[in-house]
Amino acid sequence: VQLQASGGGLVQAGGSLRLSCTGTEQTFSNYHVAWFRQTPGKEREFVARISSSGATDYYAHSVRGRFTISRNNAEKTVTLHMKSLRPEDTAVYYCAASRNWGYNVLYNYWGQGTQVTVSS
């Protein structure tokens, strides 16, 4: 499955952004989808994931309560709603898909990154 990430930008601390990850194939609904982020010199960090049906989600502690992940399989889209953004949320955000659910699974498919910059 091919993924396209979009929606990044520049926002002030305390603001909100919405990232979208759109799949190009009908099989998109068969995949669990996750968001990761990465800053220069640091390892890629897990942010959130959602199950293929959308019934289950999971968040990194650092974003819990501020970020919400959702999906619309009819539109082949997963959305990451980000609020109360902090400068430390600045990163390139990537979406990824896998047929496997859980911690430390292998994500076989990745979208291109989208830059999120939060100014203080």
Side-chain angles (χ1 to χ4, degrees):
V1 60
Q2 292 185 339
L3 304 173
Q4 296 177 333
S6 61
L10 174 64
V11 64
Q12 288 188 332
S16 301
L17 275 178
R18 183 175 62 186
L19 305 183
S20 294
C21 178
T22 302
T24 58
E25 301 174 15
Q26 294 300 325
T27 56
F28 180 79
S29 62
N30 295 337
Y31 291 85
H32 312 302
V33 175
W35 285 95
F36 293 82
R37 64 188 182 187
Q38 190 168 23
T39 56
K42 293 188 176 181
E43 291 188 357
R44 188 169 55 204
E45 176 189 20
F46 165 79
V47 176
R49 65 175 181 259
I50 190 165
S51 62
S52 57
S53 67
T56 305
D57 54 24
Y58 186 80
Y59 299 89
H61 178 75
S62 59
V63 306
R64 200 167 294 160
R66 300 188 298 120
F67 291 11
T68 302
I69 190 170
S70 63
R71 72 187 295 161
N72 183 326
N73 282 335
E75 296 184 358
K76 300 191 290 276
T77 299
V78 168
T79 302
L80 185 67
H81 304 264
M82 306 184 294
K83 67 178 183 179
S84 302
L85 283 162
R86 305 166 180 168
E88 54 264 39
D89 294 317
T90 295
V92 177
Y93 284 70
Y94 299 89
C95 61
S98 174
R99 289 187 178 271
N100 298 311
W101 176 258
Y103 175 74
N104 211 27
V105 303
L106 177 65
Y107 286 87
N108 306 90
Y109 307 97
W110 291 81
Q112 86 288 4
T114 184
Q115 177 72 47
V116 171
T117 303
V118 184
S119 62
S120 57

